[in-house]
Amino acid sequence: MELRLLRSYVAVAEELHFSRAALRLHIAQPPLSRQIQRLEEELGVQLLKRTQRRVSLTEPGRQFLESARAILAQVEASVSLVRRMDRGEAGHISIGMTSSVAFGDALPRLLRRYREGHPAVSISLQEMSAGEQMAALREGRIQVGFMRPPLREARVSLIPFTREPLVAVLPAEHPLAGRRRIPLKALARDPFITVPRSEAVGGLDLVLEACLQAGFRPEIAQQALEIPSVIGYVAAGFGVSLLPQAARRLAHGGVSFVDLSTPRVFIEMAAVRLAGQDTPLLAGFLGEVGGIASRKARG
Amino acid sequence: MELRLLRSYVAVAEELHFSRAALRLHIAQPPLSRQIQRLEEELGVQLLKRTQRRVSLTEPGRQFLESARAILAQVEASVSLVRRMDRGEAGHISIGMTSSVAFGDALPRLLRRYREGHPAVSISLQEMSAGEQMAALREGRIQVGFMRPPLREARVSLIPFTREPLVAVLPAEHPLAGRRRIPLKALARDPFITVPRSEAVGGLDLVLEACLQAGFRPEIAQQALEIPSVIGYVAAGFGVSLLPQAARRLAHGGVSFVDLSTPRVFIEMAAVRLAGQDTPLLAGFLGEVGGIASRKARG
DNA sequence: CAGTTTGATATCAAGAGGGTATCAATGGAA
DNA sequence: TTCCATTGATACCCTCTTGATATCAAACTG
């Protein structure tokens, strides 16, 4: 059974006229007659009743017309789908992200924008730590991870996505609360609340680095697993913290967010993929990531 | 795009090995390589990654494998369906029947039996008068009608199905009620309730004929459209009636069914189809009708 | 580093598929 | 009734696709 036979059959069954069908198929009538004969022979079923003057469908022939149409449509749809996948217009992307990424609005905005331009791409999002993301990337469970550098991993490629300043988070009753900006070293004597290194690569390290740059070694009073918990500890007066700008949206009465005048420390987020894993789909997605990043950098 | 390419692709994509796939397809390896190349060229999409040592699927390739499998399965299913239709094992039959047919259990039993042997045949049943059935047959709305002969129609063929005696229906207080059997002429002075000729071909005619045969001309007191109404009129004392044996199942306290000793008048039911409309499906169905009829006749 | 495995390439033979000419049957027109 | 036009089938030829064989090139194995 070949599709040519099905195409020929559909033409004949729709026209109910061999010569017209042949015209439509851009072949001559005799080969078309032979094709239909061969099709019927192959099926062992009479599809057409020819009275040498009028062609009509038998009951199986009517059914087969529908089947043939459906098959040809499915073939066409499959070809179209695979082509769109090849152009990166269709497919599925599984994305991992650290919980800290979820607080910003950069990723949601990226995804909304991307999906508008790529309606045939389905996307699944999973929250996982940086380490879990690396494992998931290697096992193919996700194709892209969103996490905060630096990474110690080789064999990955990294597309910078967002870059935002760390800001100080103080209890509402802290003497410096309410200032527009303060130097980091003003917090030299305060205990610090941080997220542990394993949870968000760069979180703890960046804080340490910033403090050292400001000329003091911070006292880590408490470690909290999630950013809301950090804010809770600060509000309860356990100490101060440095958090990405985006955490401001979690502010409440008990805490005050204050910009740092010096040193200005930036925390970055990047899209990460396994090196050498560049499908057109990923390329398109990461292109969007890079495009947004560079547009922000310029603006 | 031809199915041969899809079959070849499925083999290669499943084996991930050209030589093994070629073996499975019973062709040599070089033509197989060319087929896949041509397929990829035709799609404009790279489906396989060959490292000259290892073959793996690209993402579109994985998708296309699924599509190809689905298409081939659909082709196979369509071929199988059309073959079963050709053998009369699958399809649809629309059947018309007069309301009087519905009272017997012969048709339900026939259908039950037929469906057991032909699970892929769907059947629709519609109640309509004999005249409506003829129109429906001609317009193709039904393929078989069940009605009572005689027919005045030409161009139909008729397969006898059931043949049952008429029995007398008397009001419970009728002097002859309760007898095992009576001659029809015992009812010569009773008024008769019948169904009109247009509703059930043969009903009225048969009664008239039977009475004339018994030597009297019956007085038609009342015409009722449906058999239950006839029984209602009889129960109400409007008169007596002659009904097919099968009407016994509608008996209730107000009426008495009494066999006729003479003349024994039989009312027949037949399956009717348009002459020249013999599909394998219909042939199988009508074969079953005839089979049951002849089995009953013998038994 | 040699040998084996494996997909690609080149070339040839066979067969499938399309084209032209023609036939046979049917239905309508004269 | 007869003749002609229409339409699907048949016969025959030619081309191009498809498969087979021989061979190559690259890469993994030991």
Side-chain angles (χ1 to χ4, degrees):
Chain A
M1 174 63 54
E2 286 303 327
L3 290 182
R4 185 171 2 88
L5 296 183
L6 296 190
R7 285 186 250 271
S8 297
Y9 178 67
V10 169
V12 173
E14 283 181 355
E15 300 283 348
L16 291 177
H17 195 289
F18 277 73
S19 306
R20 273 202 300 275
L23 215 63
R24 191 168 119 185
L25 294 167
H26 302 110
I27 63 174
Q29 169 261 318
L32 179 57
S33 288
R34 273 188 314 183
Q35 281 187 20
I36 303 300
Q37 283 169 24
R38 204 181 115 197
L39 174 63
E40 289 183 322
E41 189 182 344
E42 197 171 333
L43 291 173
V45 174
Q46 190 180 2
L47 300 173
L48 298 175
K49 255 189 192 155
R50 300 97 152 153
T51 59
Q52 199 127 17
R53 193 74 190 169
R54 198 172 310 282
V55 175
S56 62
L57 296 176
T58 64
E59 200 52 51
R62 214 181 319 278
Q63 171 59 48
F64 197 66
L65 171 59
E66 280 188 39
S67 299
R69 279 198 190 117
I71 290 166
L72 293 174
Q74 200 180 342
V75 169
E76 210 158 314
S78 302
V79 169
S80 153
L81 173 59
V82 88
R83 284 192 179 135
R84 279 181 298 140
M85 286 187 73
D86 189 61
R87 291 196 299 263
E89 293 170 13
H92 183 83
I93 310 179
S94 292
I95 297 176
M97 57 172 186
T98 56
S99 61
S100 68
V101 169
F103 291 111
D105 65 344
L107 184 59
R109 280 170 58 184
L110 166 72
L111 294 183
R112 206 175 314 128
R113 185 192 159 82
Y114 178 78
R115 297 177 74 139
E116 274 171 19
H118 304 75
V121 179
S122 61
I123 294 179
S124 66
L125 264 180
Q126 303 170 64
E127 199 173 310
M128 44 176 84
S129 73
E132 286 169 345
Q133 285 187 39
M134 292 312 306
L137 280 169
R138 263 189 276 278
E139 293 166 21
R141 295 202 314 276
I142 64 174
Q143 287 81 55
V144 194
F146 281 90
M147 58 183 75
R148 306 199 180 279
L151 296 180
R152 290 169 298 283
E153 302 284 345
R155 300 208 326 245
V156 302
S157 74
L158 192 148
I159 297 92
F161 181 42
T162 63
R163 167 183 163 86
E164 52 181 340
L166 285 184
V167 296
V169 191
L170 313 177
E173 66 276 11
H174 192 281
L176 298 174
R179 293 276 198 93
R180 281 204 47 221
R181 63 182 37 162
I182 57 172
L184 177 51
K185 64 169 183 282
L187 301 176
R189 311 209 159 250
D190 286 279
F192 274 75
I193 321 289
T194 70
V195 290
R197 174 177 287 127
S198 68
E199 280 304 306
V201 174
L204 176 57
D205 297 300
L206 260 181
V207 170
L208 281 175
E209 188 196 322
C211 292
L212 292 175
Q213 209 176 319
F216 68 96
R217 179 171 204 87
E219 174 202 349
I220 306 298
Q222 199 56 246
Q223 296 211 331
L225 288 178
E226 304 282 340
I227 291 184
S229 313
V230 172
I231 293 177
Y233 279 115
V234 171
F238 282 66
V240 301
S241 186
L242 296 182
L243 289 178
Q245 178 96 288
R248 274 210 148 104
R249 61 176 50 205
L250 298 172
H252 55 75
V255 297
S256 168
F257 282 76
V258 180
D259 288 347
L260 290 182
S261 58
T262 165
R264 300 213 65 189
V265 181
F266 290 91
I267 185 162
E268 297 176 341
M269 177 172 55
V272 173
R273 74 150 193 275
L274 234 51
Q277 283 281 72
D278 28 342
T279 67
L281 188 59
L282 263 194
F285 180 73
L286 294 175
E288 198 109 3
V289 171
I292 285 190
S294 63
R295 211 169 303 124
K296 270 206 184 118
R298 277 202 312 275
Chain B
M1 173 64 53
E2 285 303 327
L3 289 182
R4 184 169 5 87
L5 295 184
L6 296 191
R7 284 186 250 272
S8 297
Y9 177 68
V10 168
V12 173
E14 281 181 356
E15 301 283 348
L16 291 177
H17 194 291
F18 277 73
S19 306
R20 272 202 301 274
L23 215 65
R24 191 169 119 184
L25 295 165
H26 303 109
I27 62 173
Q29 169 261 317
L32 180 57
S33 288
R34 272 191 315 186
Q35 280 187 19
I36 303 299
Q37 284 168 22
R38 203 181 115 195
L39 175 62
E40 291 183 322
E41 190 183 343
E42 198 171 331
L43 292 173
V45 173
Q46 190 181 1
L47 300 173
L48 299 174
K49 256 189 193 157
R50 300 98 148 153
T51 59
Q52 198 126 22
R53 192 73 191 170
R54 198 171 309 282
V55 175
S56 62
L57 296 176
T58 63
E59 200 51 51
R62 209 179 326 275
Q63 172 58 49
F64 197 66
L65 171 59
E66 280 188 40
S67 299
R69 278 197 190 119
I71 290 167
L72 293 174
Q74 200 181 341
V75 168
E76 210 159 313
S78 302
V79 169
S80 153
L81 173 60
V82 90
R83 285 195 178 130
R84 279 181 298 140
M85 284 187 74
D86 189 60
R87 289 196 301 262
E89 293 170 14
H92 183 83
I93 309 180
S94 291
I95 297 176
M97 58 174 187
T98 56
S99 61
S100 68
V101 169
F103 292 111
D105 66 343
L107 184 59
R109 281 170 59 183
L110 166 72
L111 294 183
R112 204 175 315 126
R113 183 191 160 83
Y114 178 78
R115 297 178 74 137
E116 274 171 20
H118 304 75
V121 179
S122 62
I123 294 180
S124 66
L125 263 180
Q126 304 168 64
E127 199 173 310
M128 44 176 85
S129 72
E132 286 168 346
Q133 286 187 40
M134 292 313 305
L137 280 170
R138 261 188 277 278
E139 293 165 21
R141 295 202 315 274
I142 64 174
Q143 287 81 53
V144 194
F146 281 90
M147 59 183 76
R148 307 200 180 278
L151 296 181
R152 289 169 299 281
E153 303 285 343
R155 299 209 324 247
V156 302
S157 75
L158 191 147
I159 298 93
F161 181 42
T162 62
R163 168 183 163 87
E164 52 181 339
L166 284 184
V167 296
V169 192
L170 313 177
E173 67 276 9
H174 192 281
L176 297 174
R179 294 279 196 90
R180 281 207 45 227
R181 65 180 36 162
I182 57 173
L184 177 53
K185 66 168 180 283
L187 300 178
R189 309 206 161 254
D190 286 280
F192 275 74
I193 321 288
T194 69
V195 290
R197 172 177 288 127
S198 69
E199 281 304 305
V201 174
L204 176 58
D205 297 300
L206 260 179
V207 171
L208 280 175
E209 187 195 325
C211 292
L212 292 177
Q213 207 177 324
F216 67 97
R217 175 169 208 87
E219 174 203 349
I220 306 299
Q222 201 51 252
Q223 296 212 332
L225 288 177
E226 304 281 339
I227 290 183
S229 314
V230 172
I231 294 177
Y233 279 116
V234 172
F238 281 66
V240 302
S241 186
L242 296 182
L243 288 179
Q245 178 97 287
R248 273 209 149 105
R249 58 177 50 203
L250 299 173
H252 55 74
V255 297
S256 168
F257 281 76
V258 180
D259 289 346
L260 289 181
S261 57
T262 163
R264 300 214 64 192
V265 180
F266 290 90
I267 184 162
E268 296 177 343
M269 177 173 53
V272 173
R273 76 153 193 276
L274 233 50
Q277 283 280 74
D278 29 343
T279 67
L281 188 60
L282 262 194
F285 179 74
L286 294 175
E288 198 109 2
V289 172
I292 285 189
S294 63
R295 210 170 303 124
K296 271 208 185 117
R298 277 200 312 276

